[in-house]
Amino acid sequence: MSHIIQAKNLNKNYGHKHALSNVEFSIEKGAPVALVGPNGAGKTTLFSILCGYIKPSSGEVLIMGHPPGDKALFGKLAALPQDAQLDPRFSIAHQLKFYGQLQGFSAKKSQHEVERTLDLVGLLDVLNVKPSELSHGMRKRVTIAQTLIGSPEIVLLDEASAGLDPLHAREVREVVASLSSDITFILSSHDLNELERLCSQVLYLEQGCLKEHQTLTTPSSDKCRYFTLRMKQQEEGIIEALQQLESVSHVILTQDREFLIKAVAGHEDAGTDIDVLQLCHKNNWQYAQIFNGKTLENQLF
Amino acid sequence: MQFLNNYKRIWILARFELIRLFLTKRGIIALAAFATVWFIILYYLVSSAVAIVSSDVFQDIAKQLFGVLGLTDLLKWPVPELAIYWLIAAYLFPSFALFSASDQTCSDRTRGTLRFISLRATRTEIILGRFLGQVLITAILIAVTILATVLMATYRDLTLFDDGVLQASKLFVDLSIIVLPFIAMMTLLNSFLRSSKMAIVVCTLIFGLGPFVIGLLAYKLPIASQLNYIFPGMQITELLGQTEMALTNYSLPIIQSVLFLIIANIIMKRTSL
């Protein structure tokens, strides 16, 4: 597979503070990539470097073979930078049309693109409205729409669903999922469940260092098989009961009412999940969810 | 083909600036204020001054006064309205250009809008597009005010129209060139400042303290007086008399503008968005 983004020994210093330290990764064209990390980990700095907004102190980044900000990337790389706002004096349609024209579309085609992209985020009715008249969530969706003008190959979304209500966050997820066969999305978010649903690759940054660069593996390729069980309420003796199951090797309480269950090694087809469900049924325990594998949260932390 | 795309993007950026002034509520209010100021200037100042300059009673006084200021040639102009207009516009338009061009990229940078644009246009194109937009805006406003002056003179005396148009065309070119370095200077300040107010404050300091600092430097090092040539408008006093066509009157503002734009471009390329 071809690498659409390659970063080598990327460093960014702000005075004595290392925002990024020797970050090195490559991203292949395809399924969405998650950029995860605590506040101040360097996610936005990395996004800004990829978009060409800031220059790295040292190191090299190539996006589709070009340095960030290169004119060859116009229309191919789009981004929703964190906290970036549209001009409050112009209507949404006017500004998005302006962006379309900068990307090389005619006035008519730009208008069509504006309507298409606003429709994708469910905001076709705000065409002639000014950004200041929209709610925070709607403004966010409009700025997501601007990333989809034309046919970008890479779209970077920094905290795209932050501030959105669950319904619209879901809409954004659906847009990402539906377009991910044509566009490689790079998503930064604190919502690990969201990233887990969408992404197949994770870049985990902590204090400017890339701690993990992994592909979320399918359960069948795991050497050890795991299940994550979430209960509706706390059940007494559940860990002991789970550990007594023949197909279960080990059980860990990962957080309140959530258990990580490791299947017995070499017994991938031992039906551990069936055993767990039968145990719940037998004891009349209400489970909330059983997840095939480790959750992203458990993988990272 | 690539350079055609560059020019196209520069034009699209410049056109957006025109729309910002002529088609937004804020822009139209600014235009209304501009029109009011110029109505007052033309109706009260220019027409009254023309009456004074043209009258037999005051002609000698006017000759003496203009002679002291090195402006005698202006009294020979067939359309005195344009002579008075020129004296006012040569100083007013540079100041107006500084204010109207004070927010070329500042608020877009602060708001983050520049981040959307920079994924679709190079920073050089943004600098040039915004500069060109402001130049066009100022040129349009210069043209409108000159035309109003010519019409005012024609209203007084119909035979002045032909001479007025001819003289107005030359003044239009002169004024458009005069304002170039002022707009370019604002482009430069906008490349690193984050608010238009700060750009105006810095500009005031440059024009207010700059000559004083250069004066002090020149006291120790006489060659430092050449630094005065970096100030936009250096040639206005010489140009004002319209006595001769000195090349520096045109080349200096153009060289200054190019220099400011080159520095603005270098800074813009290095600045974080």
Side-chain angles (χ1 to χ4, degrees), chain B residues 6-24:
Chain B
N6 295 350
Y7 290 129
K8 199 176 165 193
R9 283 193 291 263
I10 290 171
W11 170 240
I12 292 168
L13 285 157
R15 202 176 53 193
F16 199 77
E17 291 307 290
L18 293 177
I19 293 166
R20 195 192 296 276
L21 183 68
F22 294 108
L23 292 180
T24 65

Side-chain angles (χ1 to χ4, degrees), chain B residues 31-49:
Chain B
L31 276 179
F34 176 85
T36 309
V37 168
W38 270 98
F39 174 77
I40 292 167
I41 290 170
L42 291 175
Y43 189 77
Y44 293 103
L45 217 62
V46 175
S47 85
S48 313

Side-chain angles (χ1 to χ4, degrees), chain A residues 217-229:
Chain A
T217 49
T218 53
S220 57
S221 63
D222 278 342
K223 282 181 183 170
C224 296
R225 196 163 176 188
Y226 290 92
F227 294 93
T228 306
L229 177 70

Side-chain angles (χ1 to χ4, degrees), chain A residues 25-280:
Chain A
F25 64 89
S26 57
I27 292 174
E28 289 166 355
K29 188 175 168 64
V33 177
L35 182 59
V36 191
N39 290 333
K43 300 189 296 294
T44 298
T45 303
L46 182 57
F47 260 64
S48 298
I49 290 174
L50 293 177
C51 292
Y53 302 147
I54 57 174
K55 293 201 183 306
S57 304
S58 63
E60 187 192 31
V61 188
L62 286 177
I63 299 168
M64 294 188 281
H66 303 282
D70 193 281
K71 63 177 83 170
L73 297 173
F74 295 164
K76 290 182 180 171
L77 181 138
L80 164 66
Q82 203 178 27
D83 300 330
Q85 300 285 327
L86 293 170
D87 194 325
R89 282 170 284 179
F90 293 94
S91 71
I92 303 295
H94 194 91
Q95 294 187 69
L96 266 54
K97 198 172 159 184
F98 166 58
Y99 294 155
Q101 287 178 308
L102 279 179
Q103 282 179 223
F105 295 116
S106 65
K108 195 177 170 188
K109 175 72 177 155
S110 297
Q111 181 67 31
H112 176 260
E113 279 298 299
V114 171
E115 288 170 15
R116 182 185 70 81
T117 51
L118 283 175
D119 194 25
L120 277 173
V121 295
L123 284 175
L124 195 52
D125 52 336
V126 302
L127 264 175
N128 297 311
V129 172
K130 288 180 181 166
S132 52
E133 295 165 38
L134 300 178
S135 69
H136 172 78
M138 288 165 101
R139 282 203 296 268
K140 190 61 139 311
R141 282 152 63 206
V142 167
T143 49
I144 292 171
Q146 65 80 32
T147 66
L148 304 172
I149 295 172
S151 45
E153 292 180 39
I154 304 171
V155 171
L156 296 102
L157 300 177
D158 197 359
E159 304 281 358
S161 60
L164 295 187
D165 58 67
L167 181 69
H168 292 118
R170 185 180 168 157
E171 258 181 34
V172 170
R173 277 199 298 275
E174 282 171 0
V175 168
V176 171
S178 67
L179 298 173
S180 59
S181 55
D182 302 316
I183 301 170
T184 304
F185 285 93
I186 302 173
L187 310 165
S188 141
S189 174
H190 289 296
D191 186 345
L192 297 180
N193 286 330
E194 174 180 275
L195 297 176
E196 199 162 53
R197 285 169 199 231
L198 293 168
C199 304
S200 66
Q201 195 181 350
V202 176
L203 299 176
Y204 179 63
L205 278 170
E206 194 176 336
Q207 292 183 329
C209 300
L210 192 62
K211 296 282 183 189
E212 297 270 349
H213 178 209
Q214 59 180 2
T215 302
L216 292 181
T217 49
T218 53
S220 57
S221 63
D222 278 342
K223 282 181 183 170
C224 296
R225 196 163 176 188
Y226 290 92
F227 294 93
T228 306
L229 177 70
R230 286 190 191 127
M231 303 301 292
K232 280 193 173 170
Q233 57 194 36
Q234 196 65 266
E235 304 292 353
E236 256 185 60
I238 187 168
I239 294 181
E240 293 76 13
L242 285 167
Q243 275 179 334
Q244 280 171 10
L245 293 173
E246 273 186 28
S247 58
V248 171
S249 155
H250 194 60
V251 180
I252 304 167
L253 177 69
T254 48
Q255 55 183 301
D256 184 38
R257 287 174 285 138
E258 186 186 281
F259 306 92
L260 180 66
I261 301 163
K262 185 182 177 188
V264 171
H267 290 76
E268 285 81 11
D269 297 323
T272 311
D273 44 355
I274 304 293
D275 291 346
V276 170
L277 290 176
Q278 280 177 344
L279 180 72
C280 290

